[in-house]
């Protein structure tokens, strides 16, 4: 009898966990649509931090060279498709794009280019500091200043970068390919608007 109860309890716990995951997915989808609607309003000031699309692994290999993509962790076929779909989502919603800036890492540049939303400008300030955390304070301050200075642009600015950079700036651990949407208030405060 105890074994039957234990199995029933385990089934109930599993069912509750699956229900919670489903509710969370529905809420996230609803929040994503609300965030897309904000971007469609064509108001100035929105900045999208995008973590590069799916690239298997963590960090970069020991022989990493910035000028040689073959030495880096690169987008998988899934990541390339993910970036293409995200670009299509921007176009389908007619969201105006002001600028597209990218880390110089190949997985970021490829993500930005596969969005197919306009000219991609390499922006070293968005480069990863995963293997050199001493660069974090200066780079984070520079990104924060760029966002404040460029918040009046008409259209959305997209900054393709890395998890460590996004986490340092706004204390969020994004998934690969996730969009973190920010806006700047009148007093210059950068605030989180939504996640897609």
């Amino acid at each position: 009898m105890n074994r039957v109860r234990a199995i029933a309890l385990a089934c109930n716990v599993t069912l509750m966990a699956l229900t919670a995951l489903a509710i969370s997915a529905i809420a996230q989808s609803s929040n994503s649509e609300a965030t897309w609607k904000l971007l469609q309003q064509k108001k100035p000031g929105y900045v999208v931090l995008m973590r590069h699309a799916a690239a298997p692994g963590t960090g970069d290999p020991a022989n990493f060279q910035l000028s040689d993509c073959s030495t880096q962790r690169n987008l998988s076929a899934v990541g390339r498709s993910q970036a293409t779909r995200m670009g299509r989502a921007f176009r389908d919603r007619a969201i105006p794009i002001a600028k597209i800036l990218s880390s110089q890492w190949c997985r970021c540049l490829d993500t930005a280019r596969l969005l197919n939303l306009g000219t991609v400008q390499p922006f070293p300030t968005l480069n990863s500091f995963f293997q050199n955390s001493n660069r974090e304070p200066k780079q984070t301050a520079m990104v924060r200043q760029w966002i404040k200075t460029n918040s009046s642009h008409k259209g959305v600015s997209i900054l393709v970068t890395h998890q460590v950079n996004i986490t340092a700036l706004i204390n969020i651990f994004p998934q690969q390919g996730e969009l973190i949407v920010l806006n700047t208030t009148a007093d210059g405060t950068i605030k989180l608007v939504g996640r897609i």
Side-chain angles (χ1 to χ4, degrees):
M1 189 72 159
N2 285 340
R3 183 174 177 169
V4 172
R5 283 186 182 158
I7 292 171
L9 179 61
C11 288
N12 284 338
V13 169
T14 302
L15 183 60
M16 287 188 304
L18 290 172
T19 301
L21 283 173
I23 291 169
S24 175
I26 291 167
Q28 186 174 8
S29 175
S30 175
N31 290 338
S32 291
E33 279 310 311
T35 304
W36 281 120
K37 287 186 187 312
L38 286 174
L39 296 177
Q40 286 176 300
Q41 292 178 1
K42 299 180 173 59
K43 291 182 179 176
Y46 289 109
V47 173
V48 172
L49 294 178
M50 181 178 188
R51 183 178 178 190
H52 60 77
T58 303
D60 283 290
N63 65 339
F64 166 80
Q65 294 174 23
L66 189 58
S67 61
D68 184 354
C69 293
S70 70
T71 66
Q72 300 179 33
R73 204 175 108 224
N74 291 296
L75 297 182
S76 64
V78 169
R80 299 179 74 76
S81 175
Q82 184 182 33
T84 301
R85 284 192 320 270
M86 190 58 75
R88 189 176 315 115
F90 274 92
R91 287 189 301 280
D92 288 350
R93 290 168 173 83
I95 295 171
I97 305 300
K99 285 182 176 279
I100 306 169
L101 304 179
S102 175
S103 157
Q104 293 174 300
W105 266 240
C106 294
R107 60 185 172 271
C108 291
L109 286 167
D110 288 346
T111 296
R113 291 174 181 140
L114 286 166
L115 292 173
N116 195 26
L117 295 172
T119 303
V120 175
Q121 300 172 28
F123 190 51
T125 302
L126 297 172
N127 287 357
S128 176
F129 44 75
F130 181 77
Q131 293 171 319
N132 184 359
S133 60
N134 293 333
R135 295 195 328 244
E136 183 273 317
K138 182 176 181 183
Q139 281 184 238
T140 300
M142 290 170 70
V143 171
R144 186 172 280 116
Q145 186 58 45
W146 188 94
I147 291 170
K148 289 179 180 180
T149 304
N150 290 275
S151 63
S152 62
H153 281 164
K154 289 188 177 178
V156 174
S157 294
I158 300 174
L159 282 59
V160 182
T161 188
H162 308 264
Q163 172 268 310
V164 291
N165 301 63
I166 294 171
T167 302
L169 184 69
I170 55 167
N171 202 29
I172 288 176
F173 194 106
Q175 297 177 30
Q176 292 184 68
E178 185 174 1
L179 306 181
I180 308 296
V181 181
L182 307 174
N183 203 345
T184 307
T185 61
D187 67 356
T189 302
I190 297 171
K191 69 174 189 171
L192 174 67
V193 173
R195 299 171 71 168
I196 301 172

